[in-house]
Amino acid sequence: LPRRLPILLGALALAGCGSAPAEELPPAAALPGAPDAAPVSVTAEGRTFTVNREANLVRVSDGAPLRTGLEPASITTADGGRRVAVLSVRERVLELFDARTGRRIGRADAGSGPVQVTSNDGSYLYVTDAIGGSVLVFRTLPELHLVRRYGLEGGPWAIVHDAERRRLWVTLSAADRVAELTTGRRIRRLADYATAEQPFAVAAGPDGVAVTGRDRVQLLEPRTR
């Protein structure tokens, strides 16, 4: 674990992110040597939303950009595509925007070291917290709020919602594994599988679950239940 999530970084992140001015916040969680593989662009209400981490905003294909927290790094749609959720990893906040108007309609703290966000395309959002060792479950209705913090050892990093199998897949960067979780509000771990070293990206499709590690991509064929 020290080679991937330095102890000093964890201590800084845990020591009062909510009380420090935004510009004084410690760096976001990082995997040395691994590229940033979080989803950075989505389409909703006929518009394309693309995060710009350096400029602290989301560019909109046909309108003014959306100002976000520091270092927006992951984005997903929610509520049937009517809303867009943006995770800003340095400021450690999750923000919810109306996809049609661009108006920000929600904001919530997102743990000690958030990395990625995904959605069940309904009213639930899931955020990996690498430093906090958990998956955070948020509900968008009636307003954005945290409903559960599910502990997950091994450095949770990348996350994807698998609509076909009704599962969440979470890479565990410090354990070289990927965890299979249920969806909904009361998520729980069902199984985990060995992966390539330092898995930093995951995708789900009809043929299986693709996990990208430091030196290779592997395709898992999980049993359907």
Side-chain angles (χ1 to χ4, degrees):
L1 182 58
R3 65 189 174 93
R4 299 176 179 124
L5 295 175
I7 295 174
L8 177 58
L9 176 58
L12 286 171
L14 291 170
C17 292
S19 59
E23 62 275 9
E24 296 179 9
L25 290 173
L31 282 178
D36 186 355
V40 295
S41 183
V42 297
T43 300
E45 295 287 346
R47 317 169 82 189
T48 300
F49 299 80
T50 304
V51 299
N52 185 323
R53 184 166 178 165
E54 293 74 23
N56 302 320
L57 56 80
V58 172
R59 300 197 183 280
V60 184
S61 59
D62 64 349
L66 311 178
R67 288 291 171 183
T68 69
L70 291 182
E71 297 189 25
S74 183
I75 188 169
T76 189
T77 58
D79 297 323
R82 297 187 301 276
R83 297 173 176 178
V84 174
V86 180
L87 180 66
S88 295
V89 294
R90 184 169 185 189
E91 196 160 342
R92 295 158 172 84
V93 294
L94 181 64
E95 295 171 289
L96 192 64
F97 297 88
D98 184 290
R100 183 176 58 84
T101 66
R103 182 173 65 91
R104 188 175 71 181
I105 54 179
R107 192 174 193 269
D109 292 339
S112 302
V115 178
Q116 289 189 21
V117 61
T118 193
S119 166
N120 67 350
D121 204 36
S123 60
Y124 288 104
L125 297 166
Y126 308 94
V127 171
T128 49
D129 183 350
I131 293 175
S134 60
V135 174
L136 308 180
V137 183
F138 294 85
R139 192 153 191 254
T140 61
L141 301 173
E143 60 184 18
L144 182 64
H145 63 289
L146 178 69
V147 297
R148 192 174 190 208
R149 188 185 306 268
Y150 183 78
L152 195 60
E153 296 181 354
W157 197 263
I159 186 169
V160 70
H161 177 255
D162 183 348
E164 182 171 339
R165 300 173 185 84
R166 292 186 293 179
R167 295 288 186 265
L168 290 171
W169 299 95
V170 181
T171 67
L172 305 177
S173 63
D176 299 337
R177 303 189 74 80
V178 63
E180 178 184 2
L181 281 70
T182 60
T183 62
R185 175 171 179 154
R186 298 192 60 80
I187 62 173
R188 61 186 177 89
R189 185 173 184 163
L190 295 174
D192 61 76
Y193 307 84
T195 68
E197 182 182 359
Q198 193 174 298
F200 61 84
V202 61
D207 295 331
V209 178
V211 181
T212 304
R214 180 183 288 276
D215 57 356
R216 62 190 169 97
V217 179
Q218 65 188 105
L219 184 66
L220 303 175
E221 298 181 8
R223 298 185 301 274
T224 56
R225 296 177 174 86

